[in-house]
Amino acid sequence: MQVKGVQVEELYSLDLDSLDSLRPVYGLIFLFKWRPGEKDDRLVIKDPNPNLFFASQVINNACATQAILSILMNSPEVDIGPELSALKDFTKNFPSELKGLAINNSEAIRTAHNSFARPEPFIPEEQRASGKDDDVYHFISYIHVDGVLYELDGLKEGPISLGQCSGGQGDIDWLRLVQPVIQERIERYSQNEIRFNLMGIIKNRKEIYTAELKDLQRKRERILQQLAALQSERMVDGGNVEALNTTLLEINGGIESATEKILMEEEKFKKWRTENIRRKHNYIPFLFNFLKILAEKKQLRPLIEKAKQKANKS
């Protein structure tokens, strides 16, 4: 999609220190088990701020993609690329339903969405209706636009205002306001559901640490130049030299820390790429041929009977 400079980070804590360490946070995505028929009496804004991008969800199994788009389309500091920029401009005056249809009809978004889908060789997900015993999960977004904190849920008629909020997306104020909102939602479901997930759309950490590293390297170069100048001029200001050396040690420590963080981010992205490849790979041909070989060697049925006996005992 050519979106630059952002990443999705899974959050394991809602405390402000953890949220603060990830700034700037462009938006938060909350995943929870959807419960049909649940009432929500909060006021829905049917005539929202024109600067707020809100789209209705018009297709199933796309709420994760839509939650991400809701944040990207409302983050002016993010370079969302030509495709999403054109879509945002084209749908600027559309009602939420037409915005949702425009997202559905975007070939680029559909391709990106499907590229992360698991293979469904037997029953395509879009052809099988969810049963009453199926676990259905839903994604909603929390963003800060023009001094207001919003909850964006594509299944609702419009956005929900959660209150006034000062500062910008990079400030801690909106995170301090959204923290109890998400916490209350978790506690509401916690009696009979423990599966939640919270993710943040944040600035690319590797880019942040790389900029930090370059800044520290420039500072170190200036300190080294100052020390060289003192030595060449045979100046014996011991206090000044000691202060410069102390600063140099601190900068070297910062360089080491930034370098380590960059390596950790590279390793994390490498792990994500591997997980995505494994998740998207179609293992069915391998499994089919493996079972076929077991059957030809008269080993499949005994294994099935053994598995049944084990299941009955448990």
Side-chain angles (χ1 to χ4, degrees), residues 53-76:
F53 183 93
F54 176 80
S56 298
Q57 183 180 327
V58 298
I59 57 172
N60 296 326
N61 305 315
C63 50
T65 297
Q66 186 135 344
I68 294 173
L69 288 173
S70 293
I71 294 173
L72 294 177
M73 295 295 216
N74 287 295
S75 300

Side-chain angles (χ1 to χ4, degrees), residues 209-305:
Y209 300 143
T210 300
E212 179 183 324
L213 177 61
K214 290 180 179 179
D215 183 57
L216 288 168
Q217 289 172 335
R218 286 192 293 268
K219 289 180 179 179
R220 181 176 64 177
E221 186 62 29
R222 288 196 294 269
I223 296 295
L224 291 174
Q225 290 175 358
Q226 291 175 21
L227 286 170
L230 289 175
Q231 291 176 356
S232 64
E233 295 172 5
R234 301 184 184 279
M235 299 180 67
V236 291
D237 187 349
N240 196 14
V241 171
E242 183 178 354
L244 289 172
N245 281 324
T246 300
T247 303
L248 185 61
L249 284 173
E250 293 174 354
I251 291 174
N252 285 334
I255 288 174
E256 184 178 344
S257 175
T259 302
E260 183 178 347
K261 289 176 182 178
I262 291 171
L263 293 174
M264 289 175 63
E265 289 298 312
E266 290 176 345
E267 186 62 30
K268 182 168 64 178
F269 272 79
K270 182 180 178 181
K271 181 180 177 181
W272 287 349
R273 283 193 293 269
T274 302
E275 289 176 350
N276 285 331
I277 291 171
R278 289 174 176 170
R279 188 181 71 253
K280 293 184 292 182
H281 184 72
N282 185 4
Y283 291 95
I284 298 302
F286 162 74
L287 293 173
F288 177 81
N289 284 285
F290 180 65
L291 294 173
K292 183 179 177 181
I293 292 171
L294 288 175
E296 290 172 351
K297 293 184 176 183
K298 311 297 183 182
Q299 296 178 7
L300 181 58
R301 187 170 294 278
L303 289 172
I304 293 174
E305 295 301 324

Side-chain angles (χ1 to χ4, degrees), residues 162-221:
L162 300 176
Q164 297 293 319
C165 185
S166 60
Q169 286 182 320
D171 296 327
I172 191 68
D173 294 346
W174 85 270
L175 295 173
R176 186 180 291 110
L177 185 61
V178 78
Q179 179 199 34
V181 174
I182 298 176
Q183 188 64 50
E184 186 274 333
R185 191 150 199 161
I186 292 174
E187 291 173 356
R188 193 194 320 163
Y189 298 135
S190 60
Q191 291 184 352
N192 38 21
E193 181 57 52
I194 61 172
R195 287 168 290 183
F196 303 100
N197 198 1
L198 182 64
M199 295 161 284
I201 306 294
I202 64 175
K203 189 170 183 177
N204 185 284
R205 309 313 286 175
K206 183 180 176 182
E207 292 182 6
I208 291 176
Y209 300 143
T210 300
E212 179 183 324
L213 177 61
K214 290 180 179 179
D215 183 57
L216 288 168
Q217 289 172 335
R218 286 192 293 268
K219 289 180 179 179
R220 181 176 64 177
E221 186 62 29

Side-chain angles (χ1 to χ4, degrees), residues 60-61 123-129:
N60 296 326
N61 305 315
I123 304 176
E125 190 69 23
E126 63 272 15
Q127 295 180 12
R128 184 178 71 87

